[in-house]
Amino acid sequence: VETLRHVLLGEQPQHIMIGSNTVSFQEVPVTRRLFGVPTDSIDVGEEESVFAVRHPNGTLSLVTYKPVILENGDTLIIARTID
């Protein structure tokens, strides 16, 4: 739990073990072309998924249950299974 808290807060480390898999996290600033786009419409690759959105005011929206409409200043948190 502590490691996941660090990942969500943008602190180190940027990977965690989930079962037997290592999952890494990368923060990607939202570009202008994605403003107004819901997170469930973003194709980030086969082994990656949008995990959360960090907003400029510091709040974090997990996208597991409900897509988030991206806005200026948002940052995507992308999860990727390493092994």
Side-chain angles (χ1 to χ4, degrees):
V1 172
E2 187 67 18
T3 301
L4 186 56
R5 182 183 74 80
H6 288 294
V7 169
L8 294 175
L9 292 175
E11 302 168 352
Q12 295 295 329
Q14 293 295 309
H15 65 277
I16 61 172
M17 291 293 296
I18 299 177
S20 62
N21 295 312
T22 303
V23 179
S24 69
F25 295 90
Q26 178 183 12
E27 294 195 30
V28 179
V30 172
T31 60
R32 179 180 299 251
R33 69 179 180 84
L34 293 177
F35 295 171
V37 174
T39 53
D40 61 351
S41 296
I42 298 173
D43 181 16
V44 292
E46 189 174 308
E47 296 181 15
E48 299 178 329
S49 62
V50 178
F51 179 73
V53 176
R54 185 181 323 279
H55 303 288
N57 66 2
T59 61
L60 190 74
S61 296
L62 298 178
V63 300
T64 307
Y65 301 107
K66 181 180 176 185
V68 175
I69 305 298
L70 298 172
E71 299 178 0
N72 186 19
D74 286 343
T75 300
L76 293 171
I77 299 176
I78 308 295
R80 177 186 175 123
T81 303
I82 297 174
D83 55 16

